[in-house]
Amino acid sequence: MTSPLRVLGVDPGLTRCGVGVVDVSRDRSARLVHVGVVRSDPELPIEQRLATIAAGLRAVVAEHRPDVVAVERVFSQHNRSTVMGTAQASGIALLVAAEHGLAAATHTPSEVKAAVTGYGAADKLQVQTMVARVLRLDALPKPADAADALALALCHAWRGGAAAAARTTLTPAQQAWAAAERTGRR
Amino acid sequence: MTSPLRVLGVDPGLTRCGVGVVDVSRDRSARLVHVGVVRSDPELPIEQRLATIAAGLRAVVAEHRPDVVAVERVFSQHNRSTVMGTAQASGIALLVAAEHGLAAATHTPSEVKAAVTGYGAADKLQVQTMVARVLRLDALPKPADAADALALALCHAWRGGAAAAARTTLTPAQQAWAAAERTGRR
């Protein structure tokens, strides 16, 4: 009997940071554990916003105890005005993982789309529809940040299927190293 | 008698994160307290690298107890391959400030150059020479990341001179709010 892999997906953002926790079994079936959004007040100084994000993510980790944290990879060519804040929030998510002794991984948006829908250029509605179907939700997950976080968590579990299978024989430290090696240099 | 303002400057980076601590008096004279570089092993997973940076910065804060933390502002148009790691490291520096109840501020490279040399397009050697002169160092501060961190700390103190003067009458919390308001929306 293999216990499911519990993945925390994080769609990083300063104003809204999507978080989704799913349990994924070896047969790829998945169950929703938690979904939500960590928000920070745009009126606050940046350092207090990042501390708010960190506290929110730590609370999710403490409550739901994921095995691994998957964070959306941020690109500098996304030349939105928010990209630096998004990158900073992603750094906070990765730090929170490390501070809890959890392995972390990053996945690109097209990796997530391909893993969840089979199509790397899928639109948001296609991704949300598939996430809702897989998790047997009555409605599309909202807001979009939360849906993206769930998709990211599913992507991570499905792409690392072999690792999930290996969890019965590896120690947590071995699992963490295996996960780090799989995701390679990010 | 006004005590000097102690500023921790951080030149964010994943492989080398420059840190410099200076005491700056109301007459703008300055004294070197600490200078160094927090390094993380490029072979480690990103989350462990960020945790290493966080631990190093926390150690500097614990030992030297700065009044405020100044971090170089990272731009997405700096389209280096390292820009996302730099942004993540800057987020860690800001988080460490907030977690110690310290105000933080960001300054652009040209603000730092202008504050330290009087010329926003000064080259690195001009900046390092002025930092060495102001701090009465026998040699140019090295490596470059450490020199930049010192310049950043001086820039912050000199640009916020009025605030340093106000430190005799404001509580630490009031000072933090004043600093946050001065630096505005970053």
Side-chain angles (χ1 to χ4, degrees):
Chain A
M1 185 64 188
T2 310
S3 60
L5 182 71
R6 179 164 289 189
V7 186
L8 165 59
V10 179
D11 183 32
L14 262 186
T15 302
R16 293 185 310 279
C17 188
V19 291
V21 182
V22 296
D23 280 345
V24 183
S25 302
R26 284 186 69 174
D27 65 3
R28 293 171 57 95
S29 67
R31 184 179 75 84
L32 175 68
V33 175
H34 171 77
V35 64
V37 175
V38 177
R39 298 169 196 275
S40 82
D41 182 349
E43 298 296 318
L44 288 178
I46 177 70
E47 69 276 13
Q48 293 182 29
R49 299 187 71 186
L50 292 168
T52 302
I53 299 292
L57 293 176
R58 285 173 182 141
V60 171
V61 170
E63 182 171 353
H64 298 291
R65 304 205 165 274
D67 298 307
V68 60
V69 179
V71 183
E72 185 171 305
R73 192 180 302 193
V74 185
F75 290 99
S76 58
Q77 50 264 45
H78 290 182
N79 210 358
R80 298 170 292 148
S81 63
T82 56
V83 71
M84 287 297 111
T86 304
Q88 291 173 327
S90 78
I92 301 304
L94 292 165
L95 176 69
V96 167
E99 290 184 341
H100 288 81
L102 302 175
T106 58
H107 300 285
T108 66
S110 58
E111 285 171 350
V112 173
K113 290 171 182 172
V116 172
T117 71
Y119 176 50
D123 64 26
K124 280 198 172 287
L125 181 60
Q126 291 174 300
V127 172
Q128 289 172 22
T129 302
M130 188 59 77
V131 167
R133 186 177 305 169
V134 166
L135 297 176
R136 296 176 300 282
L137 307 179
D138 293 334
L140 296 186
K142 296 228 167 115
D145 317 81
D148 287 347
L150 290 173
L152 200 60
L154 291 172
C155 165
H156 181 78
W158 290 345
R159 283 169 59 96
R167 291 180 66 242
T168 42
T169 51
L170 296 183
T171 67
Q174 287 173 323
Q175 293 161 27
W177 277 110
E181 286 177 0
R182 274 198 314 285
T183 53
R185 303 284 297 281
R186 286 149 300 173
Chain B
M1 185 63 190
T2 310
S3 59
L5 182 71
R6 178 163 291 189
V7 186
L8 165 59
V10 179
D11 182 33
L14 261 186
T15 303
R16 293 184 311 278
C17 188
V19 292
V21 181
V22 296
D23 280 347
V24 184
S25 302
R26 284 186 68 176
D27 65 3
R28 293 170 56 96
S29 67
R31 183 178 75 84
L32 175 68
V33 175
H34 171 78
V35 64
V37 176
V38 178
R39 299 169 196 274
S40 81
D41 181 350
E43 298 296 319
L44 288 178
I46 178 70
E47 69 276 15
Q48 293 183 29
R49 301 187 70 184
L50 292 167
T52 302
I53 299 292
L57 293 176
R58 285 176 183 139
V60 172
V61 170
E63 182 171 354
H64 299 291
R65 304 203 165 277
D67 298 307
V68 60
V69 179
V71 183
E72 185 171 304
R73 191 180 302 192
V74 185
F75 290 99
S76 59
Q77 50 266 43
H78 290 183
N79 210 357
R80 297 170 293 149
S81 63
T82 57
V83 70
M84 287 297 111
T86 304
Q88 291 174 327
S90 79
I92 300 303
L94 293 164
L95 175 69
V96 167
E99 290 183 340
H100 288 80
L102 302 174
T106 58
H107 300 284
T108 67
S110 58
E111 284 170 350
V112 173
K113 290 172 183 173
V116 172
T117 71
Y119 176 50
D123 64 26
K124 281 198 172 287
L125 182 59
Q126 290 174 301
V127 172
Q128 290 170 22
T129 302
M130 188 59 78
V131 167
R133 186 177 306 168
V134 167
L135 297 176
R136 297 175 300 283
L137 308 178
D138 293 332
L140 297 186
K142 297 234 165 105
D145 317 81
D148 287 347
L150 290 173
L152 200 59
L154 290 172
C155 164
H156 182 78
W158 290 344
R159 284 170 59 98
R167 292 181 64 243
T168 42
T169 51
L170 297 182
T171 66
Q174 288 172 323
Q175 292 162 26
W177 276 111
E181 286 177 2
R182 274 197 315 284
T183 52
R185 303 285 297 281
R186 287 147 300 173

